[in-house]
Amino acid sequence: MNQELTYTERAYTKLENLCYTRFKTMSIDDGIARKRMENELLAIKKQGSSPMYIFVYDLLTGIQASSRHYCLRGVQGSSVVAYLLGLSEINPISIYPKLYSEFVIGKNGRGLASIEINVTKKMYAEIVNYLEHYIGGAKIRCQHTEKGQLVAVYVSAPQKKLSYYHNEEEFRFGFNKVSSQKKLGKSIITGRVFDAANPKSFAEFVKCRGLSFGDGNGVWEDNAEELFKSGKVELKELIAHREDVYEFLLSHNINHEEAYKIAEDVTWGRIRKNGWNADDLALMYKAGIPEWFIKSCKKILYLFPRAHSIMLLKHYTKLCIDS
């Protein structure tokens, strides 16, 4: 019967079996975690991205990768599926600050899946060797830098026609070579934001990491920095990640759908570019959202996912998650 299934369907069946098998063996809250896992699996099935998940799983298994040598990046750290596959060290159900599947799969399961990891020099060489001798069933297209360094592959089912440009029928798996994990670890918890805020708890370190990402994003400079140093807003309320916007709106009784929409608009700089939608603005004023928050959102060009900060801190600085 399996021979009658497409490659994508077979990949999904393998993915589903792996997730349910590992779910039973891991200590995870059964109700909430199962629902999140099943919602993610449904989204993966709809978008046809199972070949990418299985490709990455098979690659890590094939080279016998140790979690010491790689760190998941970006929003996938919020994924229960990624955790069950061993792509992430972080249980997104129990971690605090909280992580949300919505930012992985989209509110209606329409988020375009991709996976990106940091790797050591040793593991990078192993990945390149694996790809050079790849004999699996997925179709892959390699991406190189101008200097010829392999940095990613685009994965699709073998029946799909790959184009030169990325499209919705192929899914990206990227890998960034890290020269020194120790050096990166030190850089992650230093800088102007850390000097100003002097974080103590893990949650505060996560907040400061998010506030530190990238000059020019409109997050810290001329925004959160002024609010914090003036004493108007506490560190815990500052907008550092897309989840901060989402949670703040939910705490003011704005419904999940509206909160997610506004959080996404802020995340991708659409408010900064186009200004506030009159309906959204009216909704926030009615909910009692303070003026400082509305103005802060309007200055933001891009927000990183909270999972990215948590994974960097957990992996490279060895901070205790439970502290």
Side-chain angles (χ1 to χ4, degrees):
M1 182 177 178
N2 276 353
Q3 295 301 318
E4 299 173 0
L5 299 176
T6 65
Y7 178 83
T8 299
E9 290 169 336
R10 293 198 300 275
Y12 178 77
T13 298
K14 180 176 179 178
L15 176 64
E16 189 177 50
N17 289 338
L18 281 169
C19 287
Y20 275 101
T21 299
R22 295 190 172 194
F23 184 87
K24 293 176 182 178
T25 63
M26 292 184 171
S27 300
I28 309 177
D29 177 80
D30 189 40
I32 298 172
R34 178 179 288 272
K35 183 177 180 181
R36 280 181 60 167
M37 177 189 72
E38 290 176 345
N39 285 341
E40 288 179 27
L41 285 171
L42 180 61
I44 290 168
K45 187 175 185 179
K46 285 181 177 179
Q47 68 184 198
S49 58
S50 53
M52 177 194 63
Y53 285 92
I54 292 303
F55 174 84
V56 177
Y57 172 79
D58 287 344
L59 183 153
L60 296 179
T61 303
I63 66 174
Q64 298 181 324
S66 166
S67 60
R68 293 175 301 170
H69 297 296
Y70 69 91
C71 175
L72 187 64
R73 294 170 52 89
V75 74
Q76 284 284 346
S78 295
S79 168
V80 176
V81 168
Y83 175 64
L84 292 172
L85 290 180
L87 307 183
S88 170
E89 301 175 84
I90 296 167
N91 181 343
I93 300 297
S94 61
I95 189 69
Y96 183 83
K98 291 182 179 180
L99 298 175
Y100 301 88
S101 285
E102 289 96 319
F103 293 99
V104 182
I105 62 176
K107 194 62 181 174
N108 298 307
R110 296 174 182 172
L112 189 61
S114 64
I115 295 174
E116 189 161 350
I117 59 176
N118 283 348
V119 299
T120 60
K121 290 181 179 179
K122 177 179 182 295
M123 184 169 166
Y124 176 82
E126 291 171 344
I127 290 175
V128 171
N129 183 64
Y130 179 91
L131 294 174
E132 288 177 346
H133 299 88
Y134 178 67
I135 57 173
K139 183 178 287 186
I140 63 173
R141 174 171 63 85
C142 294
Q143 178 186 348
H144 298 82
T145 64
E146 290 184 5
K147 295 182 178 180
Q149 181 177 330
L150 182 60
V151 292
V153 291
Y154 288 96
V155 184
S156 72
Q159 71 270 17
K160 300 295 184 182
K161 182 179 179 181
L162 295 185
S163 64
Y164 180 77
Y165 299 100
H166 180 36
N167 59 54
E168 292 188 2
E169 292 187 337
E170 53 182 351
F171 301 88
R172 188 178 188 274
F173 167 51
F175 33 93
N176 306 309
K177 182 166 57 176
V178 174
S179 298
S180 170
Q181 294 197 87
K182 186 176 180 180
K183 185 177 180 180
L184 179 57
K186 289 181 178 179
S187 69
I188 284 169
I189 54 172
T190 57
R192 291 172 298 170
V193 177
F194 289 89
D195 292 340
N198 192 26
K200 303 297 184 185
S201 68
F202 183 74
E204 289 178 343
F205 270 91
V206 172
K207 178 74 74 169
C208 288
R209 183 63 252 153
L211 290 168
S212 300
F213 281 123
D215 291 336
N217 283 341
V219 178
W220 177 249
E221 292 181 338
D222 299 320
N223 194 350
E225 182 179 21
E226 295 177 356
L227 292 169
F228 180 72
K229 290 183 175 180
S230 68
K232 292 180 180 179
V233 182
E234 295 182 40
L235 178 63
K236 64 182 179 180
E237 290 189 312
L238 295 175
I239 301 171
H241 302 99
R242 55 194 69 172
E243 289 86 352
D244 293 324
V245 179
Y246 188 56
E247 288 176 342
F248 195 87
L249 296 173
L250 291 178
S251 72
H252 284 75
N253 297 315
I254 291 179
N255 67 59
H256 286 260
E257 186 173 340
E258 291 290 346
Y260 177 80
K261 173 189 172 296
I262 292 172
E264 282 290 276
D265 285 344
V266 175
T267 292
W268 299 104
R270 290 191 282 264
I271 306 302
R272 174 166 163 167
K273 180 181 179 181
N274 304 317
W276 281 108
N277 174 287
D279 292 337
D280 290 342
L281 203 55
L283 177 69
M284 289 189 291
Y285 281 134
K286 184 178 180 180
I289 302 296
E291 192 68 29
W292 71 260
F293 183 87
I294 294 172
K295 289 182 177 179
S296 183
C297 286
K298 197 174 186 301
K299 294 179 179 181
I300 292 169
L301 184 62
Y302 178 74
L303 284 172
F304 276 81
R306 183 181 287 161
H308 187 62
S309 294
I310 289 177
M311 288 183 293
L312 289 177
L313 288 167
K314 166 65 175 173
H315 188 84
Y316 292 110
T317 67
K318 308 301 181 185
L319 286 171
C320 180
I321 288 282
D322 296 323
S323 63

